[in-house]
Amino acid sequence: MEFTTKIALLFAGQGAQHPGMAKELYTQHASVRALFELASDVCGKDMKKLLFEGSEAELKETINTQPAVTLASLAGMVGLRMAGVRSEDIAWVAGFSLGEYAALAVADVLTAEETFRLVYERGRIMHHAGNEFKKQVGEPGMAAVLGLSAGAVKAVLNDQTEVFVANYNAPDQVVISGLLAQIDRLEPLLKEAGAKRVIKLTVSGPFHTPLLSKASLEFKSVITGLRFASPKVPLYSNVTGGILSTGKEIQHHLSEQISHPVLWQGIISDAQTRFRERVAVEVGPGNVLSALMRGNGANYEMFRCMQMPEVEMLLARMQE
């Protein structure tokens, strides 16, 4: 099948998970079932049972969430491949935080087996780091701050060392991360500065902040010695907000990603300027990234690929 329109692929991150994700794809495709078996072998747990029968509480545990969301996203990609989408039909790829690992697999930087191994280790390390933070410092937390620029949020944070900007999502949406008690103290100050809402997120650690520097170093030891191939399609980095072109660059920045803020606004801004294609697919559970496209004023047509009717609409658009 020949397509006249290229697509961008956006891969979901932690927080998008839900029970039953990728079940239709599992039923339809033997290749997806094989992918589930591979993930189960690598992670040492029954991934089919976790995704289809696991409770929301089980899926929210970081050690489970990371391989589960990655598996659902790669299952979505299998569905696209089976429908006829080829690497040459992809304009660029990006993943939100954890989603960057699914993007690495799709760009042929890592094999599926290597990807599952890394996200399992990443989840284990971050799960342990969150527990240690809770024991030694206090309850961790994250909160989305809506209606306020990053500069205004930073002014309220005022260089204190318990809460940091973790995600630059859109011009008027950032996420802060750190000690929950301090986030609670900062909330009225953020609202006084003009924030429309401050939405607490259920998390198990102070993700994407210097508070996880030790976890970042531990993960660096995991990826040292692993070969990262150069991407076969343009691949965006959460750490730089730009495109990485070599395996060495990717390996270096992955070790920083755990403790570095997600520069999603920068990714979307660069893609708007760099690429002429205006069709994107949110791969994996949820629709957070579609909403962030709108939040960044990006004039993309957004599609999803987790169910067959969605794929059929996408294919029709790619043939126009």
Side-chain angles (χ1 to χ4, degrees):
M1 185 183 296
E2 294 293 326
F3 297 115
T4 56
T5 300
K6 286 191 173 186
I7 56 173
L9 300 178
L10 311 179
F11 293 89
Q14 190 165 338
Q17 69 277 353
H18 61 81
M21 55 186 173
K23 192 169 187 177
E24 182 175 318
L25 291 164
Y26 182 93
T27 302
Q28 290 175 337
H29 301 298
S31 298
V32 172
R33 295 192 287 277
L35 193 68
F36 269 68
E37 289 181 13
L38 173 64
S40 297
D41 289 343
V42 170
C43 299
K45 61 181 69 181
D46 187 339
M47 296 301 289
K48 178 188 174 186
K49 184 176 181 181
L50 176 63
L51 269 69
F52 301 161
E53 301 174 30
S55 66
E56 288 191 13
E58 285 177 295
L59 284 169
K60 281 180 181 176
E61 293 182 15
T62 298
I63 198 167
N64 291 329
T65 309
Q66 300 208 13
V69 170
T70 303
L71 174 55
S73 296
L74 291 183
M77 196 61 216
V78 169
L80 286 179
R81 298 283 195 199
M82 297 295 288
V85 176
R86 307 157 301 166
S87 293
E88 48 265 47
D89 300 316
I90 301 170
W92 55 272
V93 297
F96 191 95
S97 184
L98 168 67
E100 191 167 312
Y101 288 82
L104 291 175
V106 170
D108 289 329
V109 175
L110 297 171
T111 65
E113 181 176 350
E114 290 167 337
T115 302
F116 289 131
R117 199 171 302 283
L118 286 191
V119 294
Y120 177 77
E121 286 298 314
R122 184 179 186 267
R124 181 188 63 78
I125 289 168
M126 292 174 71
H127 178 81
H128 177 72
N131 286 341
E132 287 299 302
F133 183 87
K134 189 173 181 178
K135 287 179 189 174
Q136 298 177 16
V137 183
E139 192 72 34
M142 295 180 77
V145 182
L146 309 183
L148 208 56
S149 70
V153 171
K154 284 183 175 180
V156 173
L157 300 187
N158 194 27
D159 295 328
Q160 48 78 54
T161 58
E162 294 179 315
V163 178
F164 300 84
V165 175
N167 299 356
Y168 294 81
N169 287 347
D172 62 350
Q173 183 188 139
V174 301
V175 173
I176 57 175
S177 177
L179 183 64
L180 180 60
Q182 181 67 349
I183 291 174
D184 288 337
R185 287 192 286 270
L186 289 167
E187 182 173 351
L189 299 179
L190 290 165
K191 288 181 176 176
E192 284 177 19
K196 294 177 182 176
R197 297 177 69 193
V198 178
I199 304 171
K200 301 286 176 50
L201 308 176
T202 303
V203 296
S204 58
F207 302 144
H208 294 296
T209 75
L211 300 170
L212 285 190
S213 295
K214 186 177 177 182
S216 182
L217 285 173
E218 185 178 352
F219 187 69
K220 184 176 182 179
S221 70
V222 171
I223 64 176
T224 297
L226 182 64
R227 180 182 176 274
F228 287 72
S230 296
K232 292 186 178 177
V233 297
L235 170 80
Y236 276 99
S237 164
N238 283 237
V239 172
T240 69
I243 289 175
L244 300 181
S245 56
T246 70
K248 277 195 170 182
E249 284 181 301
I250 294 165
Q251 184 175 33
H252 171 70
H253 289 303
L254 271 190
S255 65
E256 299 178 328
Q257 196 217 52
I258 289 172
S259 58
H260 191 281
V262 174
L263 304 183
W264 194 253
Q265 180 186 345
I267 289 173
I268 302 307
S269 176
D270 186 88
Q272 279 272 94
T273 302
R274 188 186 298 266
F275 297 99
R276 63 179 180 81
E277 291 82 9
R278 289 293 181 266
V279 178
V281 185
E282 183 163 1
V283 186
N287 57 6
V288 171
L289 303 184
S290 297
L292 287 183
M293 275 294 207
R294 295 191 297 272
N296 279 285
N299 58 331
Y300 275 74
E301 294 178 65
M302 295 299 304
F303 293 85
R304 298 186 71 257
C305 66
M306 302 306 285
Q307 295 180 332
M308 198 58 206
E310 298 170 333
V311 174
E312 289 172 351
M313 287 191 292
L314 171 65
L315 297 179
R317 177 62 182 85
M318 291 178 69
Q319 293 176 69
E320 290 180 3

